[in-house]
Amino acid sequence: DVGAVPVTGNIGVRYVHTDQVASGTLTTGNVATPASFPKTFNNWLPSFNLRAELTHDLVARLAASRVLTRPNVTDSAPRITVSTDAPTASGGNPQLVPFLATQFDGSLEWYFNRAGSLTGAVFYKAMDDYITQQNVNIDIPGRGTVLLSTQVNGGDAKVYGVEAAYNQVFTFLPAPFDGLGVQASYTHTSVKASYTAGARPIRDELIGLSKNSANITGFYEKGPISTRLSYVWRDRYLSGTGSTTQAPVYTAPFGSLDGNISVKASDRVTVSLEAINLSGAHLYTYNDKDVRFGEINYWGRTVLFGVRAEF
């Protein structure tokens, strides 16, 4: 207890040892020689979590940790692919090292009744040696100088934001409507980053990270019936950094409406029906600006029928 407030939590540390060997063939003229690039990483990753029960229905949480992300295997592979119609090439970098991040999370959770909660949270993540793309000129025998696109360590980025969530079952409604409920959440994310894609500067953007995202789900759970209808939406995001000669690629805002219903036909048999992308949404991509059209992706609507039985 801290005064009249019960506090629980844990603290710990992980030690991570990694041995990595990237192997390939080094070709000089017509002579091929096996090449190996061994690397060893040792990292200490501390963490702690605290939970404070401020009142019987108000809970605060605080967490901090040091985390590690290893490079993709394909990015570390000693390989190169040379274009046949332009002086360009792409390849891996066996000198890549994992990038580390320090992250903090804090939340406040209000359980306003036995079947409902309202929560708010803030988060912060600082990434070191973030892996980014870079273009360098190299000489290839018989081909001359080409512009090689590869991955390197060296970018720094900070991600921070807020999120809110609401969950409730409407138990106050008269039967059979007391099985109705709703779940909703919203996240706002900001980025501070500065790195390059070749010679092209990238500012305050990370691949796959939307500024805003939200979802809402209506559900009914009572007796043998379980059903849900969900809408998930996210803002535009960077899906490809591009390079010195290629513009970055963005995915436009996208939302999907999905639903499912299941019925217990007996104690041992459940019949279900699920539908994905009920609204028939299309996903659009564009280059640099939304007037520079990229692709339209349409997966149609998917309907799944299933039976689960216990023996």
Side-chain angles (χ1 to χ4, degrees), residues 27-31 82-84 86-87 138-146:
T27 303
T28 304
N30 295 322
V31 179
V82 182
S83 172
T84 58
I138 64 170
D139 292 321
I140 298 179
R143 182 61 188 272
T145 301
V146 301

Side-chain angles (χ1 to χ4, degrees), residues 50-100:
L50 293 178
R51 177 185 183 275
E53 194 172 330
L54 304 178
T55 67
H56 75 283
D57 58 4
L58 190 62
V59 176
R61 299 181 190 271
L62 180 65
S65 61
R66 184 75 164 160
V67 295
L68 172 146
T69 300
R70 296 182 177 88
N72 291 329
V73 173
T74 53
D75 290 340
S76 299
R79 59 181 177 85
I80 186 171
T81 301
V82 182
S83 172
T84 58
D85 56 2
T88 59
S90 61
N93 179 6
Q95 301 302 326
L96 287 177
V97 300
F99 69 88
L100 299 168

Side-chain angles (χ1 to χ4, degrees), residues 79 111 162 169 202 241 310:
R79 59 181 177 85
Y111 299 91
V162 297
V169 182
I202 306 293
T241 58
E310 299 177 11

Side-chain angles (χ1 to χ4, degrees), residues 218-222 224-230 258-264 270-276 278 303-308:
F219 62 87
Y220 180 80
E221 303 268 356
K222 190 172 179 67
I225 299 175
S226 174
T227 182
R228 288 174 178 268
L229 185 66
S230 303
D258 309 314
N260 67 71
I261 182 170
S262 64
V263 178
K264 291 199 70 171
T270 301
V271 180
S272 63
L273 183 68
E274 181 179 2
I276 301 172
L278 280 166
V303 178
L304 307 170
F305 174 76
V307 177
R308 186 174 71 247

